[in-house]
Structure formats: structure tokens, C-alpha cells
Amino acid sequence: DAGITQSPRHKVTETGTPVTLRCHQTENHRYMYWYRQDPGHGLRLIHYSYGVKDTDKGEVSDGYSVSRSKTEDFLLTLESATSSQTSVYFCAIKGVGGDEQYFGPGTRLTVT
Amino acid sequence: EDQVTQSPEALRLQEGESSSLNCSYTVSGLRGLFWYRQDPGKGPEFLFTLYSAGEEKEKERLKATLTKKESFLHITAPKPEDSATYLCAVHQGGSEKLVFGKGTKLTVNP
């Protein structure tokens, strides 16, 4: 258990509405990541953060924004949700002293 | 473009029947190769990191090996509780990105 929680765990929302997913960690890890997982695609990086207010894009960042105002929280925002953003979203942190990443339990998001 | 291909997509074994999962990759400047286990409805669970060709790591019934082009996850005498999807990912030097394969779904029947 890497001390990662995600909220909400499940959400159903309508097309065009804004959605914010939260990732919280309790161990002061510098690096945090947001991935999405879809059948047939595997896990894909959306955005990552390497410190407070320091973020960068991943391979599927269009339609998503992130913010990190505190070390422990990394927020993922869908400004205007679309059906193509229906997915399972995972947050991850980088381990101390290595490059492995540890994942949270995930958020299942359905956009109708 | 970095690619990670896992095979087979699905594998059914009888309890005690040993086998191997494959992860082939194309990446310049490999910084690390990672194996994860994922149970339905849960996040991936870290298993191993391999950094250089010839390296091996073991954990219970699992052993991961690495060559310059592929990695194998050997499962010895599997049990039903080893049933899960196994993911492989590679980390390219100079990047924070992990590139994941699509996984191998392993089912071990009692």
C-alpha cells in the first residue's frame, strides 16, 4: 500500500459537464502521475507532476488539465467531459530510490 | 516510436502447469523494465524492476528475466490465486513516461 487514495471511486456524469478527480498521497512523494486505462489500449499517461505547481503533459493530454498546489494532492480536471473520456483513471507515485511507480485504486468515470 | 508488445493476450493453465509470459520492446536507452500484476477492479501492483540484460528477479512462484529485446515472466507451479492480468512497462532514459503493454490475462484453473 503506497498510501494513495483516489476520489471519487465511481462517477457518472453528463457530456459537457466539468469533472475533477482527486489523488491524495500521504508519503511526500515528489512525482505523481495520472493514467487512463481502456480496453485494447493499456495504460496511457495523461499528465504528471514533478513538484508543487510543476506539471507536464503525457501522451493523451488533450481535454485534460491538472493542478498540484500541495505535495499530497494532484487533481485531474476534465473541463467539458466527452463520451470518449469514459475510462478508468489511475493515479500513481514514483517510489523513493527507484523508477517504479505505485498505483492507486482507480476511479471509474462514465460520461453519458 | 516506443512499443511494448505482450504475448499471449490470454493464457489458461492448470494448477501446477508452469509457463512463461513474454514482453518484447523497442525503446532507445532503456532505463528500466517493470512487471505489474493487476486484479479486476484494482490498480496495478508492482512486482519487479529489471535494468540490464541478464538480470533476473524472483518472488515466490514468479521469476522475471531480461534480454536486450524482451523480458519473460516465468510462472512455476502456478496456483489459482496467481490468476490476474500481468502488465509490462518500459521506461526510456530522459523521459518520465512509462510505456505499457496491453497485458496478458492469466487464468489458473484448480
Side-chain angles (χ1 to χ4, degrees):
Chain A
D1 184 359
I4 304 170
T5 57
Q6 293 185 233
S7 58
R9 294 294 314 280
H10 302 271
K11 186 171 183 65
V12 180
T13 192
E14 293 184 349
T15 298
T17 60
V19 176
T20 295
L21 308 183
R22 180 183 183 233
C23 178
H24 179 78
Q25 53 123 341
T26 58
E27 299 178 1
N28 276 333
H29 293 281
R30 179 183 173 194
Y31 284 84
M32 299 182 74
Y33 308 81
W34 276 108
Y35 290 86
R36 61 178 290 173
Q37 187 174 41
D38 305 289
H41 286 279
L43 281 155
R44 292 179 291 174
L45 181 65
I46 304 171
H47 282 281
Y48 68 96
S49 169
Y50 48 97
V52 173
K53 297 186 180 179
D54 293 323
T55 65
D56 206 348
K57 295 179 180 181
E59 64 181 302
V60 290
S61 58
D62 287 347
Y64 301 95
S65 63
V66 289
S67 65
R68 192 167 178 203
S69 58
K70 299 184 291 183
T71 299
E72 57 266 37
D73 289 325
F74 192 31
L75 304 180
L76 177 70
T77 297
L78 291 64
E79 302 289 348
S80 177
T82 68
S83 59
S84 65
Q85 294 175 313
T86 292
S87 187
V88 181
Y89 292 86
F90 289 101
C91 175
I93 55 93
K94 183 191 286 191
V96 175
D99 291 325
E100 72 277 6
Q101 294 179 14
Y102 297 90
F103 287 80
T107 294
R108 181 173 294 275
L109 176 67
T110 302
V111 183
T112 61
Chain B
E1 181 179 315
D2 298 341
Q3 283 199 329
V4 178
T5 303
Q6 293 188 243
S7 61
E9 290 185 11
L11 180 62
R12 285 186 175 272
L13 300 173
Q14 289 299 122
E15 184 171 3
E17 179 187 3
S18 301
S19 188
S20 297
L21 313 182
N22 177 263
C23 172
S24 63
Y25 63 91
T26 56
V27 63
S28 56
L30 180 71
R31 183 166 148 181
L33 185 142
F34 308 89
W35 282 98
Y36 288 85
R37 169 194 172 123
Q38 186 173 25
D39 293 301
K42 296 192 175 181
E45 174 190 347
F46 171 71
L47 293 174
F48 304 111
T49 306
L50 300 167
Y51 287 107
S52 57
E55 189 175 1
E56 298 183 353
K57 293 276 181 71
E58 285 190 66
K59 179 180 181 179
E60 296 181 354
R61 295 176 292 282
L62 301 177
K63 182 168 81 171
T65 62
L66 181 64
T67 72
K68 288 186 177 180
K69 293 185 178 182
E70 59 191 349
S71 177
F72 292 93
L73 185 65
H74 307 277
I75 304 176
T76 302
K79 298 182 177 181
E81 52 263 41
D82 294 323
S83 297
T85 296
Y86 290 85
L87 305 175
C88 170
V90 297
H91 189 183
Q92 182 182 16
S95 166
E96 278 303 316
K97 188 175 75 169
L98 290 189
V99 179
F100 280 84
K102 296 177 182 179
T104 294
K105 183 177 181 180
L106 174 66
T107 304
V108 182
N109 296 313

